[in-house]
Amino acid sequence: MALAQEYTYQALDLATSQTVKGTMDASSDSAVAAKLRAQGLTPLNVALVAKTGLHREIALPRLRRGVPAKTLAIFSRQMSALVNAGLPLLRTLTVLAEQAEDKQLQTVLIAVQSDVEGGSSLSASLARHPQVFPPLMVSIIRVGESGGFLGKALNSVAENYQKQADLQAKIRSATTYPIAVLVIAMLGVLAMVTFIVPVFKKMFEGLGSELPLPTQILVTISENMLWILPLLAVIVIGAWVWWARNRYTDAYRKVVDPIKLKMPIFGPLVTKMAVARFSRNLSMMLDAGVPIIQALAIVGQASNNWKIEQTVRDIQDSIRGGRSFASPLAKAEVFPPMVAQMVAVGEESGTLAEMLGSIADFYEDEVETATEQLSSLIEPVLIVGLGVVIGSMVIALYMPIFSLYSDLAKQ
């Protein structure tokens, strides 16, 4: 029998559309999810509490949380095709588990298959694994199950995650070259300071004259690289570990997310990405028939931005009070005025889901264009910066030689 361990959880109370947080002792994360559902809560996140002191396990945090959007899109599309073809659900899950390339997804699908075989519904089984299947995806599947259009719901999920994956791929493609240039520049500078400067230092020792200040600074840095490099490595690893452990905490997001939206160059891009994601997810949920209050609660959690979550709460309060959806959007800094105006038109005409889809299409195109422009701007800046840094180092290395020639010419 498994020993009980302490877990932290974050769940959604569908009755009040409020997020509930707390801790619970259970034998596994699935047991925690089951207890939460028994209390009428929808699990959003379940995590094992890390042990402290001498009993703490030493482990590097994972870079990836859950499975990629591309993997979810492929899984949903394949499942939709099998369900629409009339294949029984258990057989469908078996086929998908056997051919899943993602090991985490494959392991979870085997568990889901076991739960479904034991009498659980598909959506309830998927909800027991919130790290793999997001609440937004589970809610759409639950609506499809209850309405008898599971295949259509899965296809809608597939289209949504495919668009997310395509957008992520375009951003990744546009930023790969600048990042590669930056990494190569840093490695080149470190190589020069570590291996080339010592060679020049031996030459300078035979000159017998005082070195210019830039050259002295470069030589001093080179002499201390033995402890500078390990210190840099420790700082980078420490910063990465701290960021990986804290990037999902409310305290971190409350400070960092607003800063992301206000950054001089990258802020507008981050804002457009957040608006596009919010609009796309909400459009999909409304189109599937999810009640708007419940849809907003789940989309707010999936927005991955603290500022948008606060705006979503304001929208929920506005709708509960009989007011409009668009009014809180017009007051929010994160949403451009055009979004509030289009949402207002959608409310008045009864085409809110379609209007949100149009907003998502527009801002996804804007993100793609802005990413390409940013990439074309960063590339020459990095190249010029690299030339300035390496050129300055070369000049600093040759300054003693120039000084020596100048002294010889005076004699």
Side-chain angles (χ1 to χ4, degrees):
M1 182 177 178
L3 296 176
Q5 302 180 81
E6 186 179 8
Y7 289 83
T8 60
Y9 65 83
Q10 186 176 8
L12 177 66
D13 187 346
L14 297 180
T16 61
S17 299
Q18 298 295 319
T19 302
V20 180
K21 300 179 182 179
T23 60
M24 182 182 297
D25 291 334
S27 58
S28 66
D29 55 354
S30 299
V32 174
K35 291 181 180 179
L36 291 173
R37 283 191 298 274
Q39 299 173 14
L41 302 174
T42 301
L44 298 176
N45 185 28
V46 179
L48 181 65
V49 175
K51 297 179 180 180
T52 58
L54 296 175
H55 300 285
R56 182 171 183 171
E57 296 181 4
I58 299 175
L60 289 175
R62 295 171 54 191
L63 272 176
R64 196 181 74 182
R65 195 186 195 196
V67 298
K70 181 70 173 178
T71 302
L72 289 177
I74 294 173
F75 162 76
S76 302
R77 197 171 298 282
Q78 290 175 340
M79 190 170 187
S80 173
L82 294 175
V83 169
N84 288 331
L87 203 66
L89 184 58
L90 280 175
R91 180 57 181 163
T92 297
L93 291 171
T94 301
V95 172
L96 293 174
E98 289 176 352
Q99 66 182 22
E101 297 182 0
D102 190 291
K103 297 301 180 184
Q104 184 182 10
L105 178 61
Q106 185 179 54
T107 302
V108 169
L109 284 177
I110 294 173
V112 169
Q113 180 187 7
S114 177
D115 291 340
V116 171
E117 192 173 10
S120 296
S121 65
L122 176 62
S123 58
S125 302
L126 297 179
R128 291 178 183 143
H129 308 279
Q131 296 287 359
V132 175
F133 301 108
L136 182 144
M137 178 180 181
V138 174
S139 297
I140 297 295
I141 291 175
R142 182 179 293 112
V143 172
E145 275 186 311
S146 60
F149 53 92
L150 179 59
K152 180 181 177 182
L154 286 165
N155 191 60
S156 176
V157 171
E159 291 179 359
N160 180 64
Y161 283 109
Q162 184 63 53
K163 289 180 179 179
Q164 285 190 25
D166 291 343
L167 187 61
Q168 291 171 1
K170 290 174 182 177
I171 294 174
R172 194 179 300 113
S173 175
T175 55
T176 297
Y177 178 73
I179 292 175
V181 171
L182 181 61
V183 171
I184 292 173
M186 294 173 63
L187 293 176
V189 170
L190 289 175
M192 286 187 65
V193 174
T194 306
F195 301 107
I196 298 178
V197 173
V199 176
F200 279 82
K201 178 190 171 185
K202 293 180 180 179
M203 295 173 52
F204 299 154
E205 290 174 349
L207 296 178
S209 59
E210 185 178 355
L211 298 178
L213 180 60
T215 310
Q216 289 180 4
I217 293 174
L218 200 57
V219 170
T220 302
I221 294 174
S222 178
E223 291 174 341
N224 291 277
M225 286 301 289
L226 189 62
W227 63 267
I228 290 178
L229 280 178
L231 178 62
L232 284 175
V234 169
I235 292 174
V236 170
I237 294 174
W240 174 75
V241 171
W242 181 89
W243 172 77
R245 291 187 182 278
N246 292 277
R247 57 177 171 159
Y248 296 113
T249 62
D250 289 342
Y252 175 87
R253 295 172 63 241
K254 186 175 181 179
V255 174
V256 175
D257 285 354
I259 295 176
K260 289 180 182 178
L261 300 175
K262 294 180 179 179
M263 289 188 297
I265 298 177
F266 297 95
L269 176 61
V270 174
T271 300
K272 291 173 182 177
M273 290 174 61
V275 172
R277 184 173 186 176
F278 169 83
S279 304
R280 178 67 64 195
N281 290 340
L282 186 56
S283 172
M284 180 184 67
M285 297 199 74
L286 293 178
D287 192 50
V290 179
I292 188 168
I293 296 293
Q294 180 182 345
L296 283 168
I298 295 173
V299 168
Q301 292 289 334
S303 66
N304 199 28
N305 189 281
W306 182 84
K307 198 77 173 176
I308 288 184
E309 289 182 23
Q310 302 307 306
T311 303
V312 167
R313 292 191 182 98
D314 294 339
I315 295 172
Q316 289 175 297
D317 293 339
S318 177
I319 294 175
R320 288 195 191 100
R323 297 183 297 275
S324 69
F325 183 110
S327 178
L329 286 180
K331 299 176 183 178
E333 296 179 1
V334 64
F335 289 96
M338 185 193 76
V339 175
Q341 294 171 6
M342 293 182 70
V343 167
V345 173
E347 276 190 299
E348 294 170 0
S349 60
T351 57
L352 182 57
E354 291 81 357
M355 194 62 70
L356 286 167
S358 299
I359 293 172
D361 291 335
F362 174 79
Y363 278 101
E364 284 169 357
D365 291 340
E366 286 285 297
V367 169
E368 183 179 352
T369 303
T371 304
E372 293 175 354
Q373 292 175 347
L374 191 60
S375 176
S376 62
L377 175 65
I378 290 176
E379 289 174 15
V381 171
L382 284 176
I383 293 173
V384 171
L386 175 61
V388 170
V389 172
I390 295 181
S392 300
M393 292 176 65
V394 171
I395 292 173
L397 290 176
Y398 279 93
M399 283 181 69
I401 300 176
F402 296 152
S403 299
L404 177 62
Y405 286 155
S406 178
D407 293 341
L408 292 175
K410 292 178 181 179
Q411 294 177 3

